[in-house]
Amino acid sequence: MRLMEEKILAEGKVLPGQILKVGSFLNQQIDTALLAQIGQEIARLYDGAGVSKVLTIESSGIAIAAAAGMAMGVPVVFAKKHKSSNVDGEVYTASVHSYTHNADYTIVVSSDYLRPEDKILLVDDFLANGKALMGLSELVVKAGATLAGAAIAIEKGFQGGGDALRAQGVRVESLAIIDAMDDNGITFRPQ
Ligand code: 5GP
């Protein structure tokens, strides 16, 4: 998606530890025109795939997942990062290692919202080592639902998570794939 690449080049900041900061348009302030186009592009990519629900992790995935869900006309579910008082009854959980925080956390979703008849599209803002997507896939498996694939705003291709998932047969669509980045610039994978 050319618009996403242009936005990353114009406003993304490469931080130490190979972290890309996109707070000006995705992670803190949200460019709503871009967000609407992200939703449309994800809907276009997964048109005809039979997606019944979008699944993400709070909090930075929610806006993108909501845009995708609105464009596809399906509900959006977000896994919570801790079991809180408003997640009760039967739950599915998975453990995720966070690259940005260098810590493990548990993701939780109520079994009311992931059903065996669902065909799930995973959505997130970033894909790096793939741990977040693996945790979400585990929730889909635990629910007995079907995985349609994943849609990601920005994949850091050099961290390998996306290609590892593709090698396992998971459909992964990323709107921009960064093959290299440093202080001197950002290189995108041709798509
Ligand atoms: P993974 O689990 O694929 O290693 O990392 C994906 C998760 O880590 C995403 O949910 C995202 O929130 C966070 N993340 C990973 N790399 C970056 C990055 O370069 N910038 C930002 N803003 N978040 C990142």
Side-chain angles (χ1 to χ4, degrees):
M1 188 185 182
R2 183 171 292 278
L3 193 59
M4 177 68 81
E5 294 184 354
E6 285 171 1
K7 199 77 178 169
I8 293 168
L9 289 176
E11 297 183 27
K13 293 200 170 49
V14 181
L15 301 185
Q18 300 277 54
I19 299 287
L20 181 68
K21 194 169 171 228
V22 292
S24 69
F25 62 94
L26 210 56
N27 278 161
Q28 184 163 23
Q29 174 169 259
I30 294 174
D31 180 330
T32 51
L34 176 67
L35 186 69
Q37 294 205 31
I38 291 172
Q40 294 294 339
E41 179 63 4
I42 293 173
R44 187 188 68 77
L45 288 164
Y46 278 92
D47 186 32
V51 172
S52 68
K53 224 167 251 187
V54 171
L55 176 65
T56 189
I57 302 184
E58 67 174 358
S59 55
S60 55
I62 295 177
I64 298 165
M70 277 191 270
M72 300 173 97
V74 299
V76 174
V77 178
F78 57 94
K80 292 182 172 273
K81 282 189 174 159
H82 307 281
K83 188 170 177 175
S84 57
S85 51
N86 55 356
V87 183
D88 54 8
E90 195 193 341
V91 295
Y92 303 120
T93 64
S95 178
V96 173
H97 180 77
S98 164
Y99 171 79
T100 41
H101 297 108
N102 191 25
D104 292 333
Y105 60 93
T106 301
I107 55 172
V108 187
V109 70
S110 164
S111 62
D112 289 343
Y113 309 130
L114 287 187
R115 310 299 305 167
E117 60 274 19
D118 277 323
K119 192 158 184 193
I120 306 288
L121 174 64
L122 308 180
V123 169
D124 208 356
D125 58 344
F126 275 87
L127 168 56
N129 295 305
K131 305 293 183 196
L133 281 191
M134 282 179 218
L136 288 171
S137 315
E138 203 179 318
L139 300 181
V140 173
V141 170
K142 284 181 174 168
T146 307
L147 186 63
I152 302 294
I154 304 171
E155 176 177 341
K156 295 193 292 181
F158 57 88
Q159 286 184 265
D163 289 334
L165 285 159
R166 291 183 185 100
Q168 288 171 29
V170 178
R171 179 177 175 193
V172 180
E173 302 280 1
S174 298
L175 305 189
I177 304 181
I178 297 172
D179 265 341
M181 63 180 198
D182 59 27
D183 292 344
N184 300 319
I186 294 174
T187 309
F188 294 102
R189 187 178 300 181
Q191 299 204 71

